[in-house]
Amino acid sequence: MKSVSTLSAYLDPDRMPGPGGVMTQPFVLSNRYGALIRGLLQRPAGADADCPVIVAAAGLGVTMRRTMLFATFLLANGFTVVRYDPTHAAGLSDGDFRDVTLTRVQDDLVDVLSWAKTQAGGGQVATLAASLTGRAAIRAAAQDPGLMTMMGSVACVTNVRATVTAVNSADRIGQWLSGQVTDRLATTELFDDEIRWNAYATLAEDGWDTLASTERELRCAAGVRFVNLHGENDPWVRTEDVRAAFAQAADARLIVLGSAVHELNFATARVALGILTHEFISRMRPGCEPGPEPEFGHFVGLNKVERKLQGRLLSLATPSNR
Amino acid sequence: MLDVEFIAAIDELEDLLYQQEEPFSVPYERAVRLRHEFAVQAFEWQVNGNHDYRRFAEAAGVSVERVRQEGPDVIPLLPSSVFKRRDLVTGPLDGQLRRCTSSGTQGGRSVVNRDRRTLERFLGSVSSTLEILDLDADRPTRFYVLGPDTVEAADLWFSYVLSIVDLIHPAEFYVRDGRFLADELIERLLDREEGVQPVLIGPPVLVLELAARVKEQHGGIDLGPDRGLVITAGGWKRSTGKAVPREELIELLVGVFELDGRSRIRDCFNMVELNTVVSSCAEHRMHVPPWLRVTARDPGDLRVLGEGESGMLGYVDPLATSYPGFVLSDDLGTVSYGVDCACGRRSDILRIERRLSRVESRGCALKLDQVARP
């Protein structure tokens, strides 16, 4: 396993222009295990080397396309955005989704955040995460509070076992802990995908599964501001668990979105991303005024750019992988 | 001390549009009640924000209270010809306006101005239609669009709508510089990735042309194993001379593309003045989404006709905010109410029979103009 300081990355020098002067560059990063993380670095028009960077990380099981709407808001407000697909997950990065674990998701997030710091010059780096990836980001912040100045999140999971049970309508972690299932390489279904029981085993073994572990890590993440948007009608994340967890952080804000569910849509995104953008500006670009909301055409235009770059992204390799 | 706030984020209409995985699972009686509420809210928004429409409604003697008491069918409908003559804009606007035009098949182009919220809701309608088309947003799928991309589509609404399907799934476009690249599409279909569901979508005249060329060149292309789907959209327009009966088209397409039966051929309906997409199910019935009120109207006095009676089709569409989505179209058809379809859904069913001729259309428009002119 490589140390973070020796990670190899390749940023495609060709920048594809997009709506509003946004420039998109594909990148690949060889993670600590030597697997390739693929992603996009997107800079707003007029960005300088010190432009603050936000790493936008999608929820588990979905690709970085789900953070495209996040990106339109952040780019419209002068932030450089890094988006990626974790390894052993959905999307373009290496690995098989059957081998997904939350620990690897955290490792990849840390590796990407470390690389993102090199793109921020003297600027700051923050995280915008969703769902289970939010839980991974909390641990990343706890283990190295210097890694990010702020964590914004949507539908952050704080009680992993409760969420996994709600998603599966079955207590998978409990089934593993009680010995009902013992073969960690055997597969089980998660929505329409197969994953190995190892995913659930490691949730317990690596200490992800309890609300108490989240509370403890939030207490440890000194100096990091946490802002979480939680849907009142989220079927997978209980409001009381979110409230209990974030109450442990020294600097946190929790917003409950009335009638919202777990995933953002245009209506709830506008509210959530508007709030988060204001928070990021206050923290990372103090004194700046928020820009206008991105237009629908920006979303359409950015989508076109990313569709065109997909093939290019798949063809990239790091210097050490060539 | 944790700072906790509660913020209203989504109203009932947008909850139904964006957050219901299966909009048609809303019980029909509840859908009727919701539709009534949405219509009242939409009417109030339009009379408050659109001077022209307010005068039109006042001239027709319709107030918000009357709509609340009597239901969406009293809402005065704008003939689609009005959109050829006037730029109707309802404020306050959300972001910039996008100008959306019709193809002008009936003479003159309609212009509808859509702001950000209206466009987002339209995309929401497109996304919600995936369920009835048996398309899964998370399954590897590729659209082969028999239309131009967004840049070439420009303001033309039908082409723009086809071009934005790649917000949902990867799409390739096979009309470039106004030419249909059928042979290039055929080569691509022969070389496509296994395990990715192929979806052909386009106007029936181009779908027919593609099928004819495939049959001539290769006998057939097997799209069946990956659950291929063919979606016609946009009607025959100027190509009515090439139109074939629907059943004949279905049989041809199933055969040429070796699909898993008739249920793999679908149809989608929209028009520039409508902010909702109506799609057909596996039983080939066009299910009206729960927020949309569609009625067939007597061409003489615009009264609402009964179950299955043929008349001019009128729409009360609350998804539109930057223009009045209360439209009397140039189409003749029928509406059946609360139908229990064999596909498992219960909804109103729309059946479009034909376009009014220009003479008929002009006659109706003149009559309406005598009633009230916005």
Side-chain angles (χ1 to χ4, degrees):
Chain A
M1 189 172 84
K2 300 176 188 178
S3 70
V4 169
S5 61
T6 61
L7 296 177
S8 169
Y10 178 75
L11 180 62
D12 192 354
D14 282 339
R15 300 170 187 224
M16 183 165 283
V22 167
M23 288 293 183
T24 300
Q25 290 170 273
F27 73 87
V28 285
L29 172 67
S30 182
N31 74 4
R32 65 189 66 188
Y33 305 105
L36 285 182
I37 298 171
R38 293 192 169 84
L40 298 170
L41 172 71
Q42 297 179 298
R43 295 191 195 276
D48 61 26
D50 288 343
C51 187
V53 176
I54 298 178
V55 173
L60 200 64
V62 296
T63 71
M64 61 176 153
R65 281 187 57 75
R66 292 288 183 98
T67 56
M68 196 165 58
L69 195 56
F70 294 11
T72 59
F73 274 77
L74 297 172
L75 289 162
N77 283 277
F79 292 99
T80 291
V81 182
V82 172
R83 293 157 55 218
Y84 68 99
D85 289 326
T87 57
H88 301 287
L92 303 177
S93 297
D94 285 357
D96 189 332
F97 188 66
R98 280 175 294 187
D99 296 318
V100 66
T101 69
L102 193 56
T103 302
R104 290 260 174 148
V105 167
Q106 182 213 345
D107 289 341
D108 281 352
L109 175 61
V110 170
D111 290 349
V112 171
L113 280 163
S114 302
W115 177 75
K117 271 185 176 287
T118 69
Q119 302 303 309
Q124 302 171 80
V125 176
T127 306
L128 173 50
S131 190
L132 265 171
T133 309
R135 178 62 186 93
I138 289 172
R139 179 167 290 185
Q143 290 177 347
D144 182 0
L147 201 55
M148 65 184 88
T149 183
M150 178 177 152
M151 182 189 116
S153 54
V154 177
C156 184
V157 174
T158 57
N159 185 335
V160 170
R161 185 167 176 176
T163 292
V164 166
T165 301
V167 167
N168 288 288
S169 300
D171 182 4
R172 294 281 187 243
I173 296 174
Q175 287 171 331
W176 177 262
L177 289 173
S178 65
Q180 282 178 59
V181 180
T182 55
D183 180 2
R184 63 175 66 228
L185 296 182
T187 59
T188 180
E189 207 172 272
L190 178 64
F191 299 118
D192 292 326
D193 291 303
E194 270 191 345
I195 64 169
R196 297 194 198 281
W197 274 94
N198 187 53
Y200 299 116
T202 52
L203 286 175
E205 290 159 5
D206 295 346
W208 291 103
D209 50 328
T210 64
L211 173 61
S213 68
T214 313
E215 291 172 333
R216 187 171 56 246
E217 285 164 15
L218 280 163
R219 283 195 294 272
C220 290
V224 179
R225 177 160 172 78
F226 293 91
V227 179
N228 183 53
L229 284 297
H230 170 72
E232 179 191 25
N233 292 346
D234 190 329
W236 298 333
V237 182
R238 300 187 297 216
T239 305
E240 60 264 34
D241 287 338
V242 178
R243 193 190 289 259
F246 282 101
Q248 300 301 310
D251 184 7
R253 181 185 176 198
L254 174 62
I255 298 109
V256 177
L257 299 174
S259 303
V261 295
H262 190 73
E263 294 220 15
L264 288 183
N265 51 66
F266 278 121
T268 54
R270 184 190 289 257
V271 175
L273 294 174
I275 292 170
L276 284 168
T277 307
H278 272 69
E279 283 280 350
F280 283 124
I281 289 172
S282 294
R283 186 78 169 178
M284 302 166 85
R285 302 185 71 213
C288 290
E289 286 297 316
E293 270 187 41
E295 294 291 339
F296 185 77
H298 290 149
F299 185 60
V300 172
L302 203 60
N303 177 65
K304 297 286 178 201
V305 166
E306 295 188 15
R307 289 288 192 206
K308 283 184 188 161
L309 285 175
Q310 190 153 318
R312 179 90 187 114
L313 193 47
L314 280 167
S315 71
L316 294 183
T318 63
S320 59
N321 289 86
R322 287 184 181 154
Chain B
M1 183 71 172
L2 180 63
D3 187 3
V4 182
E5 302 146 67
F6 185 94
I7 293 180
I10 189 166
D11 63 27
E12 216 166 359
L13 172 59
E14 288 179 334
D15 175 55
L16 180 59
L17 176 65
Y18 294 128
Q19 301 194 141
Q20 294 291 327
E21 276 193 34
E22 297 183 16
F24 291 102
S25 67
V26 174
Y28 182 74
E29 292 72 21
R30 180 159 182 264
V32 171
R33 284 197 304 276
L34 285 174
R35 198 160 55 203
H36 183 159
E37 285 169 31
F38 300 154
V40 172
Q41 290 161 11
F43 181 77
E44 187 167 21
W45 176 269
Q46 295 296 334
V47 295
N48 286 341
N50 189 310
H51 173 70
D52 290 333
Y53 187 75
R54 181 171 60 251
R55 285 198 302 130
F56 184 58
E58 285 169 353
V62 179
S63 64
V64 172
E65 192 49 39
R66 190 174 163 198
V67 176
R68 189 170 286 124
Q69 295 293 328
E70 298 181 39
D73 293 348
V74 302
I75 292 177
L77 303 178
L78 292 164
S80 53
S81 58
V82 168
F83 292 90
K84 299 187 205 298
R85 300 198 306 270
R86 279 178 176 260
D87 259 342
L88 290 169
V89 178
T90 305
L93 294 176
D94 177 45
Q96 295 170 6
L97 284 175
R98 183 183 178 90
R99 185 182 166 83
C100 309
T101 68
S102 67
S103 56
T105 325
Q106 290 286 86
R109 287 178 183 263
S110 294
V111 175
V112 171
N113 295 291
R114 286 179 163 85
D115 66 359
R116 177 172 43 212
R117 175 164 281 119
T118 303
L119 283 166
E120 288 172 352
R121 286 177 170 194
F122 179 77
L123 186 64
S125 167
V126 171
S127 296
S128 78
T129 215
L130 295 183
E131 181 260 326
I132 197 171
L133 294 172
D134 299 325
L135 285 171
D136 184 342
D138 293 320
R139 184 204 168 108
T141 300
R142 183 167 289 274
F143 277 90
Y144 300 93
V145 180
L146 283 63
D149 70 9
T150 310
V151 173
E152 191 173 332
D155 291 346
L156 191 58
W157 178 242
F158 173 66
S159 299
Y160 181 76
V161 168
L162 286 186
S163 77
I164 62 172
V165 295
D166 82 339
L167 285 169
I168 300 168
H169 283 297
E172 299 173 11
F173 301 92
Y174 289 92
V175 170
R176 263 170 253 149
D177 300 323
R179 285 174 49 235
F180 175 39
L181 304 172
D183 290 338
E184 191 176 314
L185 173 52
I186 291 170
E187 287 306 310
R188 185 69 182 96
L189 289 174
L190 289 168
D191 193 36
R192 72 183 192 286
E193 307 95 316
E194 269 183 45
V196 176
Q197 182 178 25
V199 179
L200 294 171
I201 181 166
V205 65
L206 293 185
V207 170
L208 180 64
E209 182 181 333
L210 177 70
R213 289 172 87 87
V214 167
K215 192 171 181 182
E216 176 194 313
Q217 293 175 11
H218 302 278
I221 294 180
D222 192 1
L223 303 185
D226 289 318
R227 290 188 53 72
L229 194 68
V230 178
I231 303 172
T232 55
W236 294 92
K237 290 203 183 340
R238 291 189 174 91
S239 304
T240 47
K242 298 181 185 172
V244 301
R246 185 76 187 167
E247 284 304 314
E248 192 180 311
L249 181 64
I250 290 173
E251 199 181 315
L252 171 69
L253 296 174
V254 170
V256 165
F257 295 113
E258 299 175 43
L259 300 169
D260 293 342
R262 299 174 72 254
S263 68
R264 306 309 293 164
I265 311 295
R266 303 302 181 88
D267 195 32
C268 287
F269 168 71
N270 177 249
M271 56 187 195
V272 68
E273 301 92 345
L274 188 61
N275 212 46
T276 294
V277 174
V278 184
S279 302
S280 67
C281 66
E283 301 294 324
H284 302 284
R285 283 176 151 160
M286 303 287 277
H287 287 264
V288 176
W291 56 81
L292 181 67
R293 174 64 174 170
V294 188
T295 48
R297 303 289 181 122
D298 182 288
D301 58 13
L302 298 185
R303 66 187 166 85
V304 175
L305 296 171
E307 175 86 16
E309 285 188 84
S310 184
M312 293 172 74
L313 292 168
Y315 303 87
V316 172
D317 184 359
L319 293 193
T321 56
S322 58
Y323 71 94
F326 314 136
V327 184
L328 187 69
S329 73
D330 288 334
D331 293 319
L332 281 179
T334 66
V335 185
S336 302
Y337 300 103
V339 173
D340 283 305
C341 183
C343 74
R345 297 174 184 89
R346 185 173 182 222
S347 76
D348 297 346
I349 301 293
L350 168 66
R351 194 166 151 264
I352 298 173
E353 292 169 340
R354 66 177 179 89
R355 269 289 170 96
L356 282 174
S357 68
R358 279 201 205 183
V359 171
E360 288 170 312
S361 172
R362 206 170 290 142
C364 289
L366 283 171
K367 200 165 284 185
L368 278 159
D369 281 352
Q370 285 160 11
V371 173
R373 185 186 289 272

